Amino acid sequence: MNNNNILRLQAVATLLSISLTALAQKENLETIAEAHHLAAYLVAALMISVFVMIFTNRLFYYRQKEINAKTQQLNTQLALVLASNRTQVWTYDFVKHVYTLLSHNGEEAKAFPPIDFAQFFDSSEFAQLHKAVVSLSESDQEPDPIVINGSKPADGSTPRIYKIHLSILQRDKTGKAKLLLGTERDITENRLRKENARNMALRYHTIFNSSLVDMIYYNDKGQLADINDKACETFGIKDREALMRREVKITDIPAYRGLDYDSLETIQMSSITDIDRTKQEDERIPELTIGGKFYYECAVSAVRDKDEHMIGVIAAGRDITDMVDSYHRQQQDALLLEKRTKDIQDYINNINYALKVSGVRLVNYHPDNHELKIYSNLNQVQFSLSQIRCASLLASTDQRKARGLLLRMDHRTPGNFTTTIRTRFHDEQGRDIHLTFNMVPVEGKDGRISHYFGMLRNDTEMVYTERQLTTETKKAQETEELKNTFLMNMSHEIRTPLNAIIGFAELFNNPHDAEDEPVFSDEIKRNTNELLALVNDILYISRLDARMVEFNYRETDFASLFEGFCYMGLSALNPGVNIQVENPYTHLMVKIAEENVGEIIQKLCAHSARATTSGSIRTKYDYRHGELNITIEDTGKGISQENLPHVFDRFARSENDDQFDTGLEMAIIKEEVEQMGGSIELQSEKGKGTSAYVIIPCEMTAMEKKNTEIIVS
């Protein structure tokens, strides 16, 4: 209450007191003008005025106190409201151009010039605020609230957001704005909540509608509230709005009819539904247009608030019919693949077994890295060889051929090739190992030869068989030639004594002297004996060739027979030739073919006797390590080096050597010795004699050397 109002109240009270006094005295107005009456009236009025003033003062005091208490209460409530709403109040003085922050109880807190007050806000946006404040002074309409960002915090957190209401608080007498009131409310949390709610709603709708799985939402009553496009596509729903208007319940779905909706939490489930049969028995969702057997899996989750009250249910699922069908096909394909894999593995095992049994190896040569890989089976590398290593493993005679082969593959020469190369290794029989390579070029996707693939085979046996076959063929050819020569010579040898016999026999029929008849008879007799010996030798060597001669092995005292065999062969010895027969044993019991061994000794001695006209003939024997060693040496005419290799050939007699046998004796001797498992060797020099060495395997049972005790094995 201001001073003007108090003065008005006092005047009214004075007039009122005067009126009351006049009425109380019921006097006329004229009496009032009297002096003593007027003074009394003035005193009375003064007293009444004082009383009224005291009464008014007290009334004003208590009223002011009540108003202050009420104001304090309102300020406190306002402060709580402002604090709870995060509201700041400030004023702007258009005269002083000062912003003043007010405390929550309405008192001035601090004054700021615009440049300092701008520090509480974003610099660019404060200019907009200040512009709105200035423009408000020239307008009678209050502007719309302004949303402005606060200054950036030092810790780098998000700036606060303020919503400011501007209004004119005081104007001057001309109506011009003098003081402006700004109400600044912090809406950061609300804005963030709205933004989060908007983002969450946006994410929900984005996820719900754009999800790659079926999303269906039921409200707290179990009624369909929302369904995304993917679910409509899965279930063949053409009219989504019609489905929503029908208020389909979750229990209308065949797979969900057994759910306890009120106590539902989260369940995972799969279902198999015959859609056609379900439509015939219970058509609750006519919008469903799919058919056939339907495989479906889903997760059904209840959505509850913080008080565990049901808000709704979300079902997220997908059609797995194609996946199940694909799984069934995959199982069938897997079984088929397993069978094919087993067949392939059996095929590989068979190949590996064939490689193992045959000794064949697979080979790969890559021109890019110049590396030769040898596989023991389809999956295992046995050797990995460089070109230098390959060359080092080959015989020197075949290294050049191998380098040419590798160079051909390095140049990626087209065409298959096969070659056999001799290595430095030897087999169990000591033979050089020969390897045969069969290589085939393999082209890559670009049509260029990428590598060579082939087989490696150990052809050592084949190579030596071919060599042996070549040798045997050559030997057979030589044998055939020898046989032809033998037949030619035999016919010649037979005809020669036969013609002599016939010739001398015819001489008896021709005129002749009686003195010549003994000569004719001797020639006929000699040629007849020669012809008989020739026929016997032919028959005997034929039996030897046919392996028809039986060797009768028996225990024999060779020491007692050796000298007799030698002297029988030397019976036709020329005069003046000395004989030396060395017999170091008193007894030598061995198992031999006595007749055949004796015949060999006799024939060799007879040859020496015919070839030796002077000098000596020496014969000896010895037993060493299961072998009977017989030596016959002479100082006769000897055999030339040209004829020495042919001594044992059939009918290979030289006139210069003056051989007097049938031409088959040396061949018979060699064949008999070899068939008894022995060997014979001749050493001779023209004019110096001949030495024959015979070795015959035998088993010794007892022996006694001269001047030694008998040793029995």
Side-chain angles (χ1 to χ4, degrees), residues 144-205:
D144 295 331
I146 298 175
V147 178
I148 187 171
N149 291 328
S151 60
K152 295 183 179 180
D155 57 0
S157 59
T158 304
R160 311 302 293 180
I161 303 173
Y162 302 104
K163 185 176 183 180
I164 301 175
H165 291 267
L166 302 178
S167 60
I168 300 299
L169 182 62
Q170 187 177 0
R171 295 180 182 271
D172 57 11
K173 295 179 180 180
T174 63
K176 186 178 181 180
K178 184 178 181 181
L179 188 64
L180 179 142
L181 177 66
T183 304
E184 175 186 309
R185 183 167 173 262
D186 188 348
I187 60 171
T188 305
E189 301 299 332
N190 292 337
R191 179 63 64 88
L192 291 177
R193 281 196 296 269
K194 289 181 180 180
E195 185 68 22
N196 291 335
R198 189 179 67 83
N199 292 336
M200 185 175 296
L202 181 61
R203 285 197 298 270
Y204 166 76
H205 289 288

Side-chain angles (χ1 to χ4, degrees), residues 565-581 602 604-619 632-636 660:
F565 294 149
C566 293
Y567 285 118
M568 289 179 63
L570 297 172
S571 59
L573 186 65
N574 292 314
V577 178
N578 295 324
I579 300 175
Q580 297 179 10
V581 179
Q602 292 177 27
L604 290 175
C605 288
H607 275 276
S608 295
R610 286 194 297 270
T612 304
T613 58
S614 62
S616 62
I617 298 175
R618 180 188 177 194
T619 63
I632 298 175
E633 301 173 346
D634 63 60
T635 59
F660 297 98

Side-chain angles (χ1 to χ4, degrees), residues 354-529:
L355 293 176
K356 180 179 179 181
V357 172
S358 63
V360 176
R361 296 291 182 267
L362 301 179
V363 180
N364 265 329
Y365 181 79
H366 294 271
D368 294 332
N369 55 15
H370 311 291
E371 188 176 42
L372 182 72
K373 291 185 178 181
I374 301 175
Y375 296 81
S376 58
N377 55 49
L378 293 177
N379 302 318
Q380 183 176 0
V381 177
Q382 188 175 11
F383 300 105
S384 183
L385 307 174
S386 63
Q387 288 189 350
I388 297 176
R389 181 59 176 165
C390 290
S392 66
L393 299 177
L394 303 179
S396 57
T397 56
D398 285 10
Q399 288 182 358
R400 183 175 181 181
K401 180 168 66 173
R403 284 194 293 268
L405 178 63
L406 294 173
L407 184 62
R408 177 181 176 183
M409 291 190 291
D410 286 340
H411 291 165
R412 291 179 167 84
T413 305
N416 306 345
F417 57 88
T418 301
T419 185
T420 301
I421 300 177
R422 182 166 64 94
T423 68
R424 294 179 179 272
F425 304 105
H426 304 281
D427 61 6
E428 296 177 353
Q429 303 178 25
R431 300 176 301 183
D432 293 335
I433 294 179
H434 292 73
L435 301 178
T436 298
F437 291 84
N438 295 285
M439 305 299 292
V440 178
V442 179
E443 295 182 354
K445 295 181 179 180
D446 55 356
R448 185 168 176 261
I449 295 176
S450 61
H451 66 284
Y452 288 82
F453 174 78
M455 292 190 302
L456 171 63
R457 186 176 63 251
N458 186 352
D459 279 344
T460 303
E461 191 67 34
M462 183 178 295
V463 169
Y464 278 91
T465 300
E466 290 178 352
R467 288 183 182 178
Q468 186 176 1
L469 182 60
T470 302
T471 303
E472 293 297 332
T473 301
K474 184 177 180 181
K475 185 181 295 185
Q477 292 174 351
E478 293 177 353
T479 303
E480 186 66 23
E481 293 177 0
L482 182 61
K483 186 182 295 183
N484 294 333
T485 303
F486 172 73
L487 292 175
M488 292 175 59
N489 291 336
M490 185 177 64
S491 61
H492 172 72
E493 295 293 337
I494 291 176
R495 282 198 303 270
T496 299
L498 187 59
N499 288 333
I501 293 172
I502 294 174
F504 283 108
E506 289 179 351
L507 289 177
F508 279 100
N509 296 326
N510 294 328
H512 61 279
D513 294 336
E515 296 177 354
D516 293 332
E517 290 183 359
V519 176
F520 297 159
S521 299
D522 290 340
E523 288 296 328
I524 291 173
K525 183 178 180 181
R526 187 179 66 81
N527 283 283
T528 301
N529 291 334

Side-chain angles (χ1 to χ4, degrees), residues 36-54:
H36 64 279
H37 288 284
L38 182 59
Y41 291 149
L42 290 175
V43 173
L46 180 61
M47 293 298 290
I48 293 172
S49 298
V50 172
F51 173 77
V52 171
M53 289 178 62
I54 293 173

Side-chain angles (χ1 to χ4, degrees), residues 604 630-633 679-683 691-695:
L604 290 175
I630 302 171
T631 304
I632 298 175
E633 301 173 346
S679 63
I680 182 171
E681 181 183 357
L682 288 182
Q683 294 181 358
S691 298
Y693 302 98
V694 180
I695 298 176

Side-chain angles (χ1 to χ4, degrees), residues 98-161:
V98 174
Y99 287 92
T100 304
L101 288 177
L102 301 180
S103 63
H104 289 164
N105 55 14
E107 298 177 356
E108 293 185 1
K110 191 175 182 181
F112 298 92
I115 191 171
D116 291 336
F117 192 67
Q119 67 181 345
F120 298 108
F121 305 96
D122 182 85
S123 58
S124 60
E125 296 186 0
F126 176 75
Q128 179 184 357
L129 173 63
H130 187 70
K131 182 179 180 181
V133 169
V134 173
S135 63
L136 185 60
S137 64
E138 301 173 356
S139 175
D140 295 335
Q141 297 181 353
E142 292 186 358
D144 295 331
I146 298 175
V147 178
I148 187 171
N149 291 328
S151 60
K152 295 183 179 180
D155 57 0
S157 59
T158 304
R160 311 302 293 180
I161 303 173

